[in-house]
Amino acid sequence: RVKAGAKVKLTLNHTGQMAKEVMGHNFVLLNQGVVTADFATEAVAAGLANNYVPEHSKDVIIHTITIGGGQSTTIEFDAPAVGTYDFICSFPGHYGMMNGKFIVE
């Protein structure tokens, strides 16, 4: 939960040991109304070179790079408007279990 317009700093730590090509992870914050299953299909097609995020996608508010075991990455952004937003890991096959709600008050 964050306040609308607040500065958000998110650090993603991959505590595993596998390379990003095998077991990568990322954080993708989606706009409201995006169907996560549809986005995940497009994300897989975008590939690792694009961090499993379709280029120029209007569905994405912010995302991290894809990281592998022992790596971390940090993003900073302003929280969007009041509402509830989905976030996922868009690495192939992950979105179904690696997801949540980003709540802006």
Side-chain angles (χ1 to χ4, degrees):
R1 292 181 183 268
V2 299
K3 297 288 183 196
K7 298 283 185 199
V8 178
K9 182 176 182 179
L10 177 114
T11 299
L12 181 65
N13 295 307
H14 187 320
T15 59
Q17 298 179 348
M18 299 175 117
K20 66 182 177 183
E21 294 81 7
V22 178
M23 187 57 69
H25 297 294
N26 66 3
F27 171 90
V28 183
L29 182 60
L30 299 170
N31 277 308
Q32 291 178 316
V34 174
V35 177
T36 56
D38 293 345
F39 178 82
T41 299
E42 294 173 18
V44 170
L48 179 59
N50 290 318
N51 293 295
Y52 297 107
V53 175
E55 286 188 279
H56 312 296
S57 175
K58 295 189 185 312
D59 293 336
V60 176
I61 295 171
I62 191 82
H63 69 90
T64 65
I65 61 171
T66 302
I67 58 174
Q71 296 179 319
S72 66
T73 186
T74 299
I75 55 172
E76 294 184 41
F77 60 99
D78 294 333
V82 171
T84 301
Y85 301 81
D86 291 319
F87 66 83
I88 64 169
C89 173
S90 63
F91 188 88
H94 286 194
Y95 83 93
M97 294 205 45
M98 299 184 78
N99 62 71
K101 300 292 184 188
F102 187 83
I103 300 169
V104 183
E105 301 173 328

